[in-house]
Amino acid sequence: MDQIVAETVSCQNQINSFFDNQRIALLLKQSNVAKQYGIAPVVVMRMIFSLVFTGKNLFRYLQADDSGREIGKDTVYRFLNSVNANWRKFLHLLCAIVLNKKILPLTSTDTPKVFIVDDSLYNRNRSKNVELLARVHDHNDHRYYRGFRLLTLGWSDGSSFLPVSFSLLSSAQKKNRLAEAAEIDKRTNGFKRRAESLRKAPDVLMDLVKQARDSGISADYLLFDSWFAFPSTIIGLLELKQQVICMLKSAKTKYGYNGFDLTLDELYKSVFKRRGRAKILASVEVELGTNSNNETVMAKIVFVRARGAKKKWLALLSTDLELTDEEIVKLYKRRWDIEVFFKISKSYLRLAKEFQSRSYDALVAHTTIVFARYIMLELARRSAKDPRTLGSLFHAGCDELRQTSFAEAVTLLLTSLRQLIKGFGDKIAAPIAQALDAFWAQMPSLLRRPMLLPACIF
């Protein structure tokens, strides 16, 4: 029992530290999450934020006696259902602070940074009257569910993944929508969210990237799978100065090669393949189309041997022609980070499961809180495992390692010199050996540590 209490206190201390260090109260204020009555928004958010770490859910918390809880039911739902709150701006501000102050100082400037975009099923299969609820096709199960498409934009440096923004997409087709949006003021953020949910995913994708970059969050490449790999989408992203690496699917899309328009299958048959069991089979530069300035857009397609699949090869596309085939494959591997994020968010952070609400605003607010939980956990993991978070102790260790390498180099030189001196007579060798001993005695103590020096010197 004492151990459980101690763990609960430690978890709550970490949450409080996260809220204080990242200045969550200020971020909420800047995101138009204002206090309507007596309790500050940061207090309400801290309570909802902490639920999953204490083994509770919102329903059980609100069912408790008034004496057992600090915040009332009406206060919680006013916070979640606010149409004025700009939750996307809040997530942008939080990610920008964590990246600039915590993650980027631990990442080499030579390390490529990437955006990752993917969608996942936001399941509300038991719901009936949720705003904008739609029949959504799940690509994994190849069937339809009730819910939303959670289109998510993340950032990764290969060591850490941070969710930057998202959009809960309904269906652009009215026949697939099971409920329509509520009538609200068109000047509010809530109306903009609802209007965005009815747009197509590729169009929303470009808006997410543009808004993230305008918020000070940038990346060298954007990664996504074949569901978004349309030439029009890729060219549109290039016009935003965003390089792309993506998977391609064998479809009717054609690419220009040697004056011919070829499908992916035809293109694979036309290029020279490497012999043997090479992992990278071939690569070729193709024409994607023309941009708004009527300029031809070029890209590189890399064919990779597939493992454990019926198809013998997979195709990756890169708009950066200077990348090698190996670099393209290596960078695309980072796309798996967002799959891990979806798994943790749904299985452990209670995404779409913590409470049932009919308000679209409440769904967006809760999803933002779940993403903020993941950011806190990712920051704690990176701080615990990355040795550079030890501050001056790490840099002192690096300096000592550099001095140790120099000491070993000097030792090898002196050892070689002494071996050379042994070839001379005693009359010549003895004075030189005495001069070496006098020189070594004047060296710093770090360079004269016995563990660094071979026994033949002394």
Side-chain angles (χ1 to χ4, degrees), residues 388-399:
R388 284 166 290 190
T389 57
L390 298 176
S392 59
L393 179 59
F394 172 80
H395 295 293
C398 291
D399 293 339

Side-chain angles (χ1 to χ4, degrees), residues 208-348:
L208 293 181
V209 173
K210 185 177 184 302
Q211 292 169 11
R213 294 175 59 176
D214 291 343
S215 300
I217 306 171
S218 61
D220 301 306
Y221 302 98
L222 172 64
L223 314 181
F224 50 80
D225 60 13
S226 58
W227 296 105
F228 302 95
F230 303 103
S232 58
T233 303
I234 297 172
I235 293 174
L237 290 166
L238 282 176
E239 291 182 342
L240 296 177
K241 307 299 181 182
Q242 181 62 65
Q243 299 286 352
V244 172
I245 298 176
C246 63
M247 179 77 73
L248 297 176
K249 55 184 175 182
S250 179
K252 297 181 180 180
T253 304
K254 295 187 176 182
Y255 306 92
Y257 178 64
N258 288 342
F260 297 94
D261 291 333
L262 305 177
T263 64
L264 204 57
D265 291 328
E266 295 171 343
L267 185 63
Y268 178 74
K269 295 177 182 178
S270 302
V271 299
F272 176 78
K273 269 76 71 176
R274 299 178 184 177
R275 297 180 179 180
R277 297 293 297 174
K279 295 181 180 179
I280 298 177
L281 299 174
S283 64
V284 60
E285 293 186 8
V286 299
E287 297 178 4
L288 282 181
T290 57
N291 56 21
S292 58
N293 297 326
N294 203 28
E295 298 173 342
T296 301
V297 178
M298 302 295 295
K300 177 188 282 190
I301 295 179
V302 179
F303 294 97
V304 184
R305 189 181 303 277
R307 288 186 177 181
K310 295 181 180 179
K311 194 173 182 179
K312 296 182 180 179
W313 52 267
L314 300 172
L316 300 178
L317 181 143
S318 171
T319 57
D320 188 353
L321 304 180
E322 296 182 358
L323 288 177
T324 64
D325 300 347
E326 291 76 12
E327 288 173 335
I328 294 172
V329 175
K330 184 178 180 181
L331 284 172
Y332 187 76
K333 288 180 180 178
R334 294 193 195 174
R335 204 198 69 82
W336 185 251
D337 292 348
I338 200 170
E339 302 292 350
V340 176
F341 163 73
F342 285 139
K343 176 63 176 179
I344 294 176
S345 298
K346 294 180 180 180
S347 300
Y348 300 101

Side-chain angles (χ1 to χ4, degrees), residues 73-202:
K73 177 179 178 181
D74 294 340
T75 303
V76 174
Y77 283 108
R78 274 196 304 269
F79 175 81
L80 293 172
N81 295 334
S82 173
V83 297
N84 297 313
N86 191 341
W87 290 111
R88 180 168 297 170
K89 182 178 180 181
F90 170 81
L91 203 54
H92 282 164
L93 293 173
L94 178 59
C95 285
I97 289 177
V98 173
L99 282 177
N100 295 327
K101 292 186 177 181
K102 301 294 182 180
I103 303 299
L104 290 179
L106 305 177
T107 306
S108 172
T109 55
D110 298 331
T111 302
K113 287 79 176 177
V114 299
F115 282 135
I116 308 173
V117 170
D118 199 5
D119 64 340
S120 181
L121 175 66
Y122 188 98
N123 196 326
R124 292 296 298 267
N125 214 30
R126 293 186 174 185
S127 301
K128 295 181 180 179
N129 299 318
V130 177
E131 277 189 84
L132 296 171
L133 187 70
R135 295 175 66 249
V136 180
H137 184 260
D138 187 7
H139 304 300
N140 295 325
D141 296 343
H142 302 287
R143 55 169 292 189
Y144 282 89
Y145 291 93
R146 293 183 179 184
F148 302 88
R149 290 176 64 188
L150 179 60
L151 181 64
T152 304
L153 173 69
W155 181 96
S156 173
D157 63 350
S159 299
S160 297
F161 176 87
L162 296 181
V164 175
S165 60
F166 68 92
S167 181
L168 278 178
L169 299 179
S170 180
S171 176
Q173 299 180 2
K174 188 174 181 179
K175 64 179 182 179
N176 288 332
R177 293 200 297 270
L178 305 177
E180 296 299 327
E183 294 291 336
I184 61 173
D185 192 338
K186 295 184 178 180
R187 297 170 297 179
T188 61
N189 290 309
F191 181 83
K192 297 177 183 178
R193 287 192 287 265
R194 288 165 172 81
E196 182 183 74
S197 70
L198 302 180
R199 299 173 60 196
K200 294 183 178 179

